[in-house]
Amino acid sequence: CRASIKLRKTALPHYNISPSPKKRKAKRFWLNSSPNPSASSERPTLPNLSFPHTPPTPAVTMAAEQSAEHFRGQARLPGFAAPRRYDLRLTPDLAACTFAGSVSVSVDVAAPTRFLVVNAADLDVSPGDVHFAPKGSGQVLLPVEVTSALEDEILIIRFNEVLPLGEGTLVIAFQGTLNDKMKGFYRSVYELNGEKKNMAVTQFEPADARRCFPCWDEPSFKAVFKITLEVPCETVALSNMPVVEEKVNGPTKTVYFQESPIMSTYLVAVIVGMFDYVEAFTADGTSVRVYTQVGKSAQGKFALEVAVKTLILFKEYFAVPYPLPKMDMIAIPDFASGAMENYGLVTYRETALLFDERHSAAANKQRVAVVVAHELAHQWFGNLVTMEWWTHLWLNEGFATWVSYLAADRFFPEWNVWIQFLEESTTGFRLDALAGSHPIEVDVNHVDEIDEIFDAISYRKGAAVIRMLQSYLGAEIFQKSLAAYIKRFAYSNAKTEDLWAALEEGSGEPVKTLMHSWTKQQGYPVVSVKLKDGKLELEQTQFLSSGSEGVGQWVVPITLCCCSYSVQQKFLFRGKQDDFNLSGLVECQKKDDFWIKLNVDQTGFYRVSYDEELASRLRHAVETNILSAADRYGVLDDTYALCMAGKQKLVTLLHLIAAYKNETEYTVLAHAINTSLSIYEMMAVAAPEELVNMKKFLIDFLEPFAQ
Ligand SMILES: [Zn+2]
């Protein structure tokens, strides 16, 4: 989850980022030779190959001529070596706020090279602390040079000889600081019996595992993790997997965790501190715990209940069991975002996990349910099947957000969470109606660009377009295709297109073309509807809040109900303008209370503008409470937006607001009141002479609710 979204007020970024020739700093360690800063610029001579079975092929010759400079200024690590298994040992010192560690990585060398390149940042790696042992050779190779390229956050490890192809073990010892920046391996402060204490916590997404241990810190380099912690005896030590053994040695203990399935580095987690917990089990025996500060475990009960139910629901929804033996969720006092979906050990800001029946507001309860469901959804969508690269982060987050509402709605139908989803989509709608908006799917070249590219548009619109697709394809087809996708890419990585392909296969609909028009293009349309000679006439125009017309065009999934919700019609509207002959339309039109609503339950990311006749019919349907709450919300929201953009008359909007005089749904009513107030504020500036009438209108509208 990357829930703390900075709303950009001005200056949207440019997306054609050209590589800037930054000055790169380097820290260099010289091993087995005297420091010679000019050596790396000299052309290296061919080394004597120490492995007689590796003849000097052209590839080997090329490898021998590689220089450390090849690896600088690159967005991604070279692919000639990949990790298979990490044996990671960490010893945090909670009092001194430092840590020592060692990592032993089984590496697969796939192409001839004299180098190993790994990510590392803010770590001290001493000369002599790095070595590589090719499997079965009985040899230990010491590097001739270990360069820390600070700007690139990599260690460039150079050996004298070309490494043999196949498996080997890279061992690195290192030291670091438990920082207070809430990323990497950091400290969080809590109080125990009136005394301030430090806990050690990790937060690695997107690229801060490298601040805790040297690693291939990219989502597609999945590997097995075997973690061991050396910690004070009285503390609780947690990681992704359950503890298999604890050995006490004086004031400290060594805690050995079970080996993980293959996973990405950004999902690794380690926590050391003093905690209480509450525990429950799913029907198939998965232990679920909520860890809190000592004495606060009762506040974890609600999240625990939700988590158990959610794991059961998602097992069914994704048609794959929860992949790990346990699920721990923990509240951290100092936390940068809302929550983080670490595999099997989810971390939360306290307000996103804890609920106090006596003191917390009801809205908190909903937040806890939605955030817990979001993080647990990632255990499948994100952790089991992981994005190949950060370009697909929008899908990871958009999907988890959408499905978290699905879960919350299933467990707490009385909350009407889909209307809250609409409220939250408003930010996406508003920002995406500006000429300076941007598409939600943008290529991420360098990990530094993530924060620049992903904002409220990406997340809100991302979740909204997934909802639109699901509603159009239908719940069952969507779920089945999704399950097939999860099965196909489990323990692996996938791109956005892989999901579209699975949905296309399952539905027979042109999902890729449809979705590209929404994810690779900024903005959204307003669909204008007219009824003429028993036919539906549709026209689409890009909606811009300035009132001007954009040039965008979309493949719009139209859903439509006519006189009742019992039959829903669906079709794709691809052109600029088109006529549709709909079955039942003519008969329906003869009815006294005829109405037609496009974008049923407001599941689509577009606005609808009706001709006068249809608008008046719809207004009547609002007044008589025939429309669903989401549609009552949507009709008002669309009319308000169109009116503000100068596309509809203010009197039409006021007339519509009056139709909400019998509104019973809180969120819809709140929207009607807020809309009225913003019109009032606007008129105070633009047409003060009309304020008296407006005031009277407002009083007439609001009075019945006050009684
Ligand atoms: Zn998320």
Side-chain angles (χ1 to χ4, degrees), residues 1-3 205 339 341 374-375 378 396-397 400-401:
C1 181
R2 297 178 49 77
E205 193 187 15
E341 70 266 23
H374 177 115
E375 302 311 325
H378 275 313
N396 197 39
E397 291 310 327
T401 299

Side-chain angles (χ1 to χ4, degrees), residues 332-528:
I332 306 293
D334 304 288
F335 202 73
S337 63
M340 174 63 212
E341 70 266 23
N342 311 306
Y343 219 178
L345 177 54
V346 181
T347 43
Y348 295 83
R349 176 182 287 244
E350 290 188 328
T351 50
L353 185 69
L354 305 182
F355 182 74
D356 183 345
E357 290 290 347
R358 290 161 306 164
H359 299 113
S360 303
N364 264 18
K365 199 167 192 172
Q366 301 190 11
R367 174 166 155 80
V368 169
V370 169
V371 178
V372 167
H374 177 115
E375 302 311 325
L376 296 189
H378 275 313
Q379 305 300 310
W380 284 264
F381 201 103
N383 301 7
L384 181 62
V385 177
T386 309
M387 63 206 139
E388 187 269 335
W389 179 246
W390 301 107
T391 297
H392 313 287
L393 180 60
W394 80 269
L395 179 65
N396 197 39
E397 291 310 327
F399 182 87
T401 299
W402 167 76
V403 85
S404 69
Y405 280 81
L406 182 96
D409 187 52
R410 184 77 62 92
F411 303 141
F412 307 99
E414 69 279 12
W415 288 352
N416 264 324
V417 289
W418 286 118
I419 296 184
Q420 287 168 41
F421 182 91
L422 289 180
E423 274 186 319
E424 286 179 17
S425 302
T426 305
T427 316
F429 265 114
R430 190 168 47 77
L431 294 174
D432 205 23
L434 302 172
S437 180
H438 61 82
I440 53 180
E441 193 176 348
V442 179
D443 280 341
V444 172
N445 294 308
H446 196 280
V447 80
D448 287 352
E449 296 165 20
I450 291 176
D451 281 340
E452 201 175 336
I453 288 173
F454 292 94
D455 58 8
I457 301 173
S458 324
Y459 291 118
R460 299 299 177 208
K461 186 181 177 183
V465 296
I466 288 163
R467 181 172 192 225
M468 172 166 72
L469 180 64
Q470 189 254 6
S471 310
Y472 181 71
L473 297 181
E476 200 185 328
I477 285 176
F478 187 86
Q479 184 267 325
K480 289 220 161 88
S481 314
L482 179 71
Y485 161 86
I486 295 283
K487 196 173 169 193
R488 192 174 308 160
F489 293 97
Y491 301 104
S492 179
N493 296 80
K495 297 180 177 180
T496 303
E497 283 70 23
D498 295 323
L499 178 60
W500 300 160
L503 290 163
E504 198 156 307
E505 218 175 290
S507 68
E509 295 279 347
V511 175
K512 192 171 148 188
T513 315
L514 162 66
M515 289 310 278
H516 278 182
S517 81
W518 296 90
T519 66
K520 292 186 182 258
Q521 170 179 231
Q522 72 180 60
Y524 56 88
V526 52
V527 175
S528 304

Side-chain angles (χ1 to χ4, degrees), residues 218-408:
E218 292 176 11
S220 63
F221 283 116
K222 284 192 168 186
V224 163
F225 284 84
K226 171 93 178 85
I227 294 175
T228 306
L229 297 176
E230 205 161 317
V231 298
C233 268
E234 70 279 11
T235 57
V236 176
L238 299 171
S239 186
N240 307 86
M241 298 297 288
V243 173
V244 277
E245 198 190 350
E246 278 194 17
K247 278 187 199 157
V248 176
N249 21 26
T252 63
K253 61 182 176 183
T254 309
V255 183
Y256 301 87
F257 295 92
Q258 200 176 311
E259 195 168 277
S260 77
I262 65 163
M263 59 186 280
S264 305
T265 48
Y266 79 93
L267 297 166
V268 171
V270 160
I271 296 168
V272 182
M274 308 276 271
F275 310 104
D276 277 352
Y277 68 84
V278 282
E279 182 176 33
F281 292 86
T282 63
D284 42 10
T286 306
S287 151
V288 185
R289 288 182 183 180
V290 175
Y291 283 87
T292 67
Q293 289 197 41
V294 173
K296 281 192 186 174
S297 67
Q299 293 181 27
K301 281 184 183 162
F302 176 67
L304 181 67
E305 247 173 67
V306 171
V308 170
K309 281 197 255 187
T310 306
L311 286 175
I312 295 167
L313 173 71
F314 286 164
K315 175 189 170 185
E316 191 188 314
Y317 194 77
F318 294 111
V320 174
Y322 171 63
L324 302 186
K326 62 96 175 169
M327 164 51 68
D328 291 334
M329 311 201 294
I330 183 163
I332 306 293
D334 304 288
F335 202 73
S337 63
M340 174 63 212
E341 70 266 23
N342 311 306
Y343 219 178
L345 177 54
V346 181
T347 43
Y348 295 83
R349 176 182 287 244
E350 290 188 328
T351 50
L353 185 69
L354 305 182
F355 182 74
D356 183 345
E357 290 290 347
R358 290 161 306 164
H359 299 113
S360 303
N364 264 18
K365 199 167 192 172
Q366 301 190 11
R367 174 166 155 80
V368 169
V370 169
V371 178
V372 167
H374 177 115
E375 302 311 325
L376 296 189
H378 275 313
Q379 305 300 310
W380 284 264
F381 201 103
N383 301 7
L384 181 62
V385 177
T386 309
M387 63 206 139
E388 187 269 335
W389 179 246
W390 301 107
T391 297
H392 313 287
L393 180 60
W394 80 269
L395 179 65
N396 197 39
E397 291 310 327
F399 182 87
T401 299
W402 167 76
V403 85
S404 69
Y405 280 81
L406 182 96

Side-chain angles (χ1 to χ4, degrees), residues 536-554:
L536 206 60
E537 279 189 9
L538 301 187
E539 184 181 353
Q540 61 163 307
T541 334
Q542 180 172 2
F543 179 79
L544 289 169
S545 52
S546 63
S548 52
E549 283 185 10
V551 293
Q553 198 167 307
W554 288 262

Side-chain angles (χ1 to χ4, degrees), residues 45-186:
T45 50
L46 270 174
N48 287 325
L49 296 175
S50 52
F51 298 97
H53 300 298
T54 321
T57 60
V60 172
T61 311
M62 270 170 63
E65 287 175 355
Q66 264 176 348
S67 91
E69 291 307 311
H70 282 112
F71 309 115
R72 292 170 183 273
Q74 303 295 321
R76 312 218 0 202
L77 292 172
F80 51 68
R84 296 288 170 246
R85 181 181 184 276
Y86 291 84
D87 201 329
L88 173 64
R89 195 182 177 104
L90 292 168
T91 309
D93 182 332
L94 297 177
C97 288
T98 58
F99 63 94
S102 68
V103 66
S104 165
V105 196
S106 304
V107 180
D108 206 8
V109 180
T113 178
R114 291 187 300 134
F115 290 89
L116 287 175
V117 183
V118 299
N119 289 113
D122 302 336
L123 295 175
D124 286 330
V125 179
S126 302
D129 281 348
V130 182
H131 67 255
F132 182 73
K135 194 176 179 181
S137 72
Q139 264 188 311
V140 172
L141 308 180
L142 297 177
V144 284
E145 188 186 7
V146 178
T147 309
S148 169
L150 301 184
E151 198 86 34
D152 297 313
E153 303 188 334
I154 53 172
L155 280 183
I156 305 168
I157 306 165
R158 181 164 70 91
F159 296 90
N160 207 18
E161 50 274 277
V162 173
L163 303 177
L165 298 187
E167 218 179 291
T169 305
L170 174 69
V171 178
I172 305 176
F174 53 90
Q175 288 184 320
T177 305
L178 292 175
N179 69 71
D180 51 11
K181 294 177 196 155
M182 295 190 278
K183 63 179 189 179
F185 202 11
Y186 73 95

Side-chain angles (χ1 to χ4, degrees), residues 565-618:
Y565 282 96
S566 58
V567 182
Q568 198 180 116
Q569 313 216 34
K570 296 176 180 183
F571 55 90
L572 293 180
F573 170 37
R574 294 159 177 265
K576 175 85 183 141
Q577 222 171 351
D578 219 337
D579 291 353
F580 296 89
N581 258 322
L582 298 179
S583 63
L585 190 62
V586 176
E587 295 76 65
C588 188
Q589 215 182 335
K590 290 176 192 153
K591 292 184 186 166
D592 283 346
D593 55 356
F594 165 69
W595 57 269
I596 194 166
K597 169 76 175 60
L598 269 76
N599 194 8
V600 177
D601 283 332
Q602 214 67 9
T603 54
F605 198 78
Y606 55 90
R607 300 212 179 269
V608 182
S609 172
Y610 299 89
D611 70 10
E612 229 165 273
E613 163 73 8
L614 290 174
S616 117
R617 298 289 195 158
L618 210 45

